Amino acid sequence: MDNAVTLCHHHHRVMTENPLSFSGLLEVELGAGHLEILTEKCRGILKENKAVRDEIAKHYREEVRKKEQNPDYVIVSYN
């Protein structure tokens, strides 16, 4: 969830063709610190198996339940 950006078709194409502009947009929208965290995560290796997938699914089920109970709740990413 902390890695999702919604763009219309036009802006998706513009940002795909201009990765430096996209990086700038992410830094403005998410903040430099958040962008650094995402960069670290993308360089990490997640070894997954059924147990890990089940744990991730359980985490997001709980997060969605919290969001349904409180619309102001911000869903927390698994990792």
Side-chain angles (χ1 to χ4, degrees), residues 13-45:
R13 183 175 177 158
V14 169
M15 292 300 153
T16 300
E17 293 172 357
N18 300 286
L20 290 177
S21 294
F22 185 54
S23 179
L25 171 73
L26 292 178
E27 189 167 342
V28 169
E29 291 297 318
L30 302 176
H34 189 96
L35 200 53
E36 287 179 31
I37 291 169
L38 290 177
T39 301
E40 279 183 32
K41 285 182 178 182
C42 83
R43 292 185 179 139
I45 297 173

Side-chain angles (χ1 to χ4, degrees), residues 42-56:
C42 83
R43 292 185 179 139
I45 297 173
L46 175 64
K47 302 229 181 208
E48 61 92 15
N49 55 39
K50 181 167 178 4
V52 173
R53 289 192 303 272
D54 289 345
E55 181 181 328
I56 292 169

